[in-house]
Structure formats: structure tokens, C-alpha cells
Amino acid sequence: MVQQITPPTQDYIGRFAPSPTGPLHFGSLVAAVGSFLEAKIHHGEWLVRIEDLDPPRTIPGASDKILKALERHQLHWDRSVLYQSQRSHHYQHALEQLHQQGVVFGCHCSRSSLHGKRVYPGYCHHADHPLQQHAVRLRTSPQQVTFKDLWQGDQLWDLGTEIGDFIIRRADGLYAYQLAVVVDDKLQGVTDVVRGCDLLDSTPRQIALQQQLHYPTPRYGHLPIAVTVEGQKLSKQNQAAPLNLDTPIANLTQALTFLGHPPPAVGSIEALWQWAQTRWQSGQVPQQASIPVK
Ligand code: GLU
């Protein structure tokens, strides 16, 4: 009889999950470096997932540019890169599971009818609209979600008053980020999510989905995000400058310094990574939501 070999269970699987809405900029390099080093010090795997779920926002060629930029910085990933645009069947399966549990509803509300409302007011809650051709929301219950964030501390979010019923499939049929990320983190066995603090308020939504789908909840760490001196997030949308791929050592030095680990002057990227992988300490990362950069 052939003996079934069970692969060893991984204690740490981290990931970097960029959306290909433009080339890699300093803000995304910080998230890549932080998640990479956390995975390395835990002797874990570091995965890359391209979150190209939203065709209108996807810039042709951006995925390849992002991967090239990671390679240029010697941010080498484990396993093959996963593309969300090829995984709709997994998201559909999860949506069907939620539908069977009776915790989703079709929503007709227009953007203008919800204008100024931070939390969904429940207009379609009991309307029993079909799911097809409409946005689909998860019906949340008035419960509290708590988690301990590696850098942002103890978190307590009230699903009823702070989050409300949120969209998991859009009216145009595209699966929402919240559902896709939860399904992929589960299917990839991700144990630790390290990302920018701008996504902190997504985490209670993701935990609510994990609980509903009976998935394990990973550990979470939200890094400070780079902002302009006016306090605006550096993002592809506000035209943050793409990284200069001719200066990887300078870029990494800046990212490490931002993350509380100013490195010594080194002659090669290898030497820089070697320094970083032996010196990285989670506790040295500033426990702030944002840090201005010039
Ligand atoms: N794709 C998201 C972004 O680029 C990140 C998602 C995540 O790390 O969960 O902002």
C-alpha cells in the first residue's frame, strides 16, 4: 500500500497582496518589506497574490511591473503567484454557502440613496430581492469583533453600529475585495496578515466572514502607512511616484528606516537583506497608524 505523506504543517504563511492599479510605490514597498521580514524571522513562507478582481481599475501591464519591482528588490516569493481574476469559482462557492445559511440579501440601493450614511441603514434587509443583477450584502448581527493587532493593539469593533451589512458581490457581478481576500487567505493557508493600516477597518468585516464560513482567523498586523506631510495616503490613486528601480538599496534603506530599522551603509542588496533578516524585531516597528514622508 502506498503511504500517504502528509506535508508538514506550516506555522507561518504570510502574503503580500497588491492590486495592479499602478506600479509599486514607496507605500506598497513598506507593506511588502514588513510582511516579507515577518515571514522570514518566523521561518515561514511569503506568498504573492495579485488582486486583479476589478477590471476597470486594473492597469494593463501593472501586475508584471509589480512582480519585476519585487524581484529587483530581491523580495523573492514562495510558490506561484496567484491571480484573483482566475478564481471566481472559489468566491462563488463561498457566496453559495452564505446564501444557504440565509445570511445574504440582494440590495437595490443606489449610491445616492446611501449618500452620507456611514453604516448601511438596512433598507433592503427584509425585501427578499433576488441576488442576481443586484449587489449582495452580508447580513451582520449586532455583535462585537475583537482581535489583537501586532502594532495597533487591542481592537474592538461593533459590527452593528460601526460596520453594518456590507457588500460581498457588487451589482456588476464582481466579487468584492472582502469576500475574495477571506476565501484566498483561507485557501492559501495564510496564518499571518501583515498589511497597511489603511485596511484596519476591513479586518472586522473579514473576521465576520471567516466566522460565518467557519474559516480560521489569521493573526493580523497593520503597519503604519506612509502619508504626505498634509496627511494624505501615498497611493497609486494619488499619483505616488513609482519606485526608481535603479536604486533598490536606497529604496529598501528608506523602507527599513520608515519601519524603525535604519540599516548601516551596505554595498549590496544581499548584504542589506542579511542585515535586515537578523536584526528585524516586530517590537521596533513604530506603533502608529501613519507616518509622514517628504
Ligand atoms: N489589494 C489590497 C491593496 O492593494 C491589499 C489587500 C490585503 O493586503 O489584504 O490595497
Side-chain angles (χ1 to χ4, degrees), residues 14-18 24 28-29 31-32 35 46-50 66 70:
R15 65 6 168 232
F16 175 57
L24 209 66
S28 25
L29 182 68
S35 59
W46 186 67
L47 314 181
V48 171
R49 180 169 77 222
I50 299 287
I66 290 173
L70 293 176

Side-chain angles (χ1 to χ4, degrees), residues 113-247:
S113 71
L114 299 176
H115 184 73
K117 308 217 168 19
R118 206 169 53 87
V119 171
Y120 179 68
Y123 298 146
C124 294
H125 211 127
H126 299 291
D128 211 15
H129 297 310
L131 301 191
Q132 291 320 317
Q133 266 110 52
H134 296 118
V136 177
R137 288 182 186 269
L138 180 78
R139 205 187 290 279
T140 52
S141 51
Q143 88 192 58
Q144 290 180 335
V145 170
T146 58
F147 61 98
K148 198 177 184 60
D149 190 87
L150 188 52
W151 294 292
Q152 308 300 325
D154 289 331
Q155 299 290 314
L156 188 154
W157 293 76
D158 191 285
L159 278 189
T161 58
E162 291 179 285
I163 307 288
D165 302 333
F166 58 91
I167 291 186
I168 56 172
R169 197 186 65 201
R170 299 177 355 190
D172 58 9
L174 294 175
Y175 290 95
Y177 156 71
Q178 306 294 357
L179 182 67
V181 85
V182 160
V183 169
D184 286 338
D185 283 342
K186 156 73 167 60
L187 294 180
Q188 293 190 286
V190 169
T191 61
D192 291 77
V193 172
V194 171
R195 58 186 175 195
C197 207
D198 51 321
L199 290 164
L200 186 65
D201 67 354
S202 284
T203 303
R205 292 169 171 82
Q206 293 171 16
I207 294 176
L209 275 168
Q210 288 152 2
Q211 291 176 346
Q212 201 60 57
L213 289 161
H214 306 292
Y215 293 171
T217 288
R219 289 175 287 253
Y220 285 94
H222 290 83
L223 297 163
I225 55 163
V227 292
T228 61
V229 271
E230 292 84 35
Q232 218 195 359
K233 183 193 161 197
L234 289 195
S235 71
K236 295 162 201 146
Q237 284 74 34
N238 69 23
Q239 319 299 322
L243 288 170
N244 179 352
L245 297 189
D246 294 329
T247 58

Side-chain angles (χ1 to χ4, degrees), residues 1 5 69 84 159 248 265 268:
M1 208 175 91
I5 300 172
Q84 286 193 326
L159 278 189
S268 67

